Structure formats: C-alpha cells, structure tokens
Amino acid sequence: MKIIHEIGALKSVLKHHKMNGKTVGFVPTMGFFHEGHLSLMKYARKKSDVVVVSLFVNPTQFGPSEDFDAYPRNLDRDMDLCNSVGVDYMFVPEVLEMYPEGYATYVTVESDMTNQLCGASRPGHFKGVATVVTKLFNIVEPDFAFFGQKDAQQVSVLKRMCKDLNSSVEIIACPIVRESDGLAMSSRNVYLSQSERQDALVLYKALSEAERLIRKGQREAISVKNTMVEIIESVSTSKIDYVEIVSATTLKPVETITEDTLIALAVKIGKTRLIDNLNVDFL
Amino acid sequence: MKIIHEIGALKSVLKHHKMNGKTVGFVPTMGFFHEGHLSLMKYARKKSDVVVVSLFVNPTQFGPSEDFDAYPRNLDRDMDLCNSVGVDYMFVPEVLEMYPEGYATYVTVESDMTNQLCGASRPGHFKGVATVVTKLFNIVEPDFAFFGQKDAQQVSVLKRMCKDLNSSVEIIACPIVRESDGLAMSSRNVYLSQSERQDALVLYKALSEAERLIRKGQREAISVKNTMVEIIESVSTSKIDYVEIVSATTLKPVETITEDTLIALAVKIGKTRLIDNLNVDFL
C-alpha cells in the first residue's frame, strides 16, 4: 500500500492504472476506522481492480461549534487497517492541499433534502460534504464510490448531486455495520462513557421495534414514530434531535410506510450526537 | 459529424474513444456561430483527436429580465458550420435533459470575481455558467476545453473553479476574433441597427487607445480609464456599464498596469449590451 499526500501525485499514479483499463473503487473517509469503514473497503476490494481510500477530516463540513478539532484521529492505526484489507492507495492530504489560499468554489444541493434531518441542526454540513466529494471525485475519478448507509441522508444527497451534475461515478451504499449488541459503528462512539454506551443502545432498540411493527403490518408512519419516541424518551440521558419517517429518495416525510421509506433518527446521549436509520426495503 | 441529443448516448460514444487512447477537445457554446466560435473549434481540431461542440442555450445563466427567449438560434446553419471545420460530435440537449424535474445542484465561485464586472449587473450569471460547465465537463470529460477570451471574466472564473474543484480539464483561452473594422464578434451583434453597428465600434476604439497609451509607457490605470470613458461617452447612444482595469487572475482592480492586467468593459449601445477587453500580456 502506498500513502500519497499530494493531489498531483495521486492523479498521475491513477491515470496510469486507468490507461491500462483498470477499474478504480474509492472510499472517502475521515479516518479513525471501525468495522464499518473496513466493510466499505472490502466491498471496494471485491468490485474494483484498484482501491483508493482517502483520509481527510474535512473542515468545511463541520459547523463552528462542532468537533472538528476534537474529531478522533489515529493515522498509524488507520494505515495498518487499510493495509490489512488490501487497499492500494491511501490519500491523506493536508487541509491546505485541499483548500489553498484563495479557495472559493462550493457545491450546494439546494433542496429540502439538505436542510432537514441532520441538515436542520448542522447548517452548511451538506454543502461541505458535496464540495469535498466533488473535489475527491475529480481527483480520483473512480468508477465506484462506497458510502455507509449509516449516513443515509448523505447517501441520498450525494446521489442527487451526482445525478444532477452528470457524474460518471456510481455511488454504492453499503449496509450499516453494528456492534454485537446492535449499536451502529461510529467514530464518535469513543466519546461515550461506559453508562452512556449502554444508554446509546436505545437508538437500535427504537429502530428494532419499528421494524417489528412494520413486519407485523403497521404502515402508519405517525404510529411507528410515536412508539419510537416513547422508547427513546424512556432513557433519561437521551435527547431527541429528530425521529423522521421519510422517502429514501426525496427525504420528504411520508404518512404511509412503503419499501422506499427511510426511518432516520439522531439522538444526543449526554453530549454525543448519534445517528442511525432503517431502510424499509425489506417490504 | 454526428448530432447527439442525449447525455447517455454522448457519454458512451466518448468512452469508446477514450478507451482507444484518443484525446478529446471540447467547445461549449450557446450556438448562433460566428467566426469567434469557429476559431475555437479550429483550435480544438488542431489540438485533439476528437472534437465535441455543445450547443445549449443555458437558462440558468440568464437573469429573469434577460434575453433567454430572444437569444438568437439557428441550428441548421450551426450544424453546417460545425461540419465545415471538422467537428466530430455536436451535443444538442433539450433543457429538460440538462435540468430534469427535481434538479437541485449548483456550483458557485464565492468570490468577488463573480459579483463585479459583468457579475454586478448579472447576478446569478456566473453561478449558472459554473453549474452548466461542471455538468458539461462531467458529460464530455474532455482533455481540453476551449473558451473565447472575449468573455474574459468567464475564463478567469472557470479557471478558478477548475483549480478549486481539482478538475482534470485544461482550460484554453483563445484570442478575440474581430470584424474587419475591429468590432468583437458576438452573437448579440445581430441586435444592432445599422447606425448602432457604427456606434458599437467605440468599444474597440477605447481599447485601442488604451493599448496605444500603454505601449507609449503609460502605467497609471486611472489615467487610461479616464481616457476610455471620455471616448465612449462621446457617442450619444452609448451607456457605460463598466470600464475596469483589473488583475486578469483575481479580477481585483489595480492601480498600476502590468503584464497581468486586464482592461474590460461593458457598454450598452441602444438596448444591446456589448463586452470587450484587452489583455495587457504584450508588456
């Protein structure tokens, strides 16, 4: 595995592979890998000739009061993990390499998609995501890009963006990876104290109960939502940011649950904001 | 020459050429060709294996009170002209092919570059340009893209955008093509009455006098600007939108003229807004 820090160097090494007809799979990340990231890399490894992972904690997708500085980092461990799953190139640019002086260009998805759910409490977040992903796609020019379904809104927004901008990159959403007790893997889970770690299970509990109700035949969104809210509020350290039942394509709220429905929630456990979701594609 | 209306069809035919190692030169246009457009196509023909011209009157770069509906169109003539200079593919999409229902993604260069000069009287114009060019670049994925230096601000903004977004496309600015009496070629010149056509020469006269003064040694921007304004105001049908002396790279006003200086002006002759400029790269 090669570590590359400069955009030009990565472009030129990948150009060589493409001229030889190789397909490129790309996994954009902010590092501090867990099994969720590794599963994306394994999907990429299976589907592509050359696998590129970027590790860049992107400042433009963090709000001024968010955890950019505190975001967990561990490059040495991340390199070993990438190596262990057969990644070919790890792209690790400095902030100034990505946003040099005079930088001025941004990509926005001007839709309700970006100002609800996580967008409501994180204004500008999806502008930062859309911009950095556009840049990374132009640098790597991958055939496939792999994203975790855990960030369901991000997947929907990026699919919209790629469709709108006529990108040739195929976005592949990969299933949520969970701890054995059901907690969705997240780099932010390290923020949780031991007791908060237990309380954090409430997100999965609420989604599991929603799934059980739907499998039993419940199709009324409001009823499922009320049950979920009740479950979450029974945990005293929890504070609901949102519990929403929406279309997975448009992210607009729905009244009736169908196979296009996404149930998404964000809950603060103590000071740590966690997200999770359920795609009702099993219907 | 092939005419292609659909994005998918163009992508797949170009993919084939690229797999065979061919370079692609691209000329994005709004049609109604004059010698200026044809010179861009000739540059593209010389430098690339495959030449693609797009013809799309892009609604998102016109303001609500601008001439989108009235913008001159003549597809049959344009096809013949493209054919005559050896263009391989003409891409002529419908508006709904480029902006289908639910379209939401825009590219903005958030810099003073876009809200001064033409940007001041055309708010949103460069957002529309940046967005459609990003889309067209993703569709064509050219090695080179050819733009007229007549739209000097457009060239500077697109160079900024491509640098910021790490585009692999090389932007090539081609010299202004003029009528024998000096009027810069423009699709909008057809709006001019016979007497306005004469009055319109004042743009070139002002720039020629600026060049004469600079070649004689004048380096004071304000002095050159004052002379130009005086010349233009001597024509009664003229109304200055702007006369600016700026850096060609940043578009910021300069006091002292150097080889990076751009002298740009926009003048209304009757109801027709004309632009022209001089790059002081001869210093």
Side-chain angles (χ1 to χ4, degrees), chain B residues 1-4 10 24-31 33 37-38 40-42 44 50-56 78 82-83 85-93 136 140:
Chain B
M1 187 184 72
K2 273 192 189 153
I3 315 282
I4 295 180
L10 182 63
V24 175
F26 177 47
V27 184
T29 81
M30 300 210 301
F33 298 144
H37 297 102
L38 299 182
L40 299 179
M41 297 174 201
K42 289 173 194 164
V50 177
V51 175
V52 181
V53 170
S54 66
L55 191 167
F56 180 60
D78 285 350
C82 272
N83 214 359
V85 293
V87 168
D88 298 301
Y89 299 98
M90 224 175 136
F91 176 52
V92 190
L136 290 167
V140 178

Side-chain angles (χ1 to χ4, degrees), chain B residues 219-238:
Chain B
R219 295 291 178 271
E220 238 191 18
I222 186 71
S223 164
V224 172
K225 177 173 168 170
N226 287 344
T227 302
M228 292 177 68
V229 167
E230 210 171 292
I231 291 172
I232 298 163
E233 288 183 339
S234 72
V235 171
S236 65
T237 54
S238 78

Side-chain angles (χ1 to χ4, degrees), chain A residues 138-257:
Chain A
N138 281 340
I139 293 166
V140 177
E141 298 185 38
D143 297 279
F144 319 107
F146 300 82
F147 292 87
Q149 182 58 34
K150 188 182 144 255
D151 299 308
Q153 186 175 11
Q154 174 172 277
V155 168
S156 299
V157 169
L158 292 178
K159 280 185 175 171
R160 175 85 256 172
M161 178 189 87
C162 282
K163 190 182 173 200
D164 284 352
L165 295 184
N166 311 108
S167 169
S168 296
V169 181
E170 182 185 341
I171 289 197
I172 297 172
C174 303
I176 298 176
V177 179
R178 300 181 179 280
E179 305 283 355
S180 56
D181 60 5
L183 180 69
M185 301 258 182
S186 165
S187 301
R188 289 189 172 99
N189 289 350
V190 296
Y191 296 154
L192 298 166
S193 73
Q194 215 171 343
S195 69
E196 285 171 345
R197 174 66 184 72
Q198 271 310 108
D199 294 346
L201 286 177
V202 75
L203 283 85
Y204 182 61
K205 274 185 206 147
L207 288 170
S208 301
E209 178 60 13
E211 180 169 350
R212 198 185 66 80
L213 292 171
I214 294 165
R215 286 194 188 272
K216 260 182 57 192
Q218 180 60 263
R219 295 290 178 272
E220 236 190 19
I222 185 70
S223 164
V224 172
K225 179 174 166 170
N226 287 344
T227 303
M228 291 177 69
V229 168
E230 210 172 294
I231 292 172
I232 298 164
E233 288 183 339
S234 72
V235 171
S236 64
T237 53
S238 78
K239 190 167 173 293
I240 291 176
D241 181 356
Y242 64 80
V243 175
E244 296 291 353
I245 301 184
V246 299
S247 153
T249 313
T250 66
L251 299 183
K252 282 184 185 153
V254 296
E255 287 180 11
T256 305
I257 291 167

Side-chain angles (χ1 to χ4, degrees), chain A residues 94-105:
Chain A
E94 295 289 332
V95 170
L96 269 173
E97 176 78 0
M98 292 293 278
Y99 301 107
E101 214 194 304
Y103 188 91
T105 307

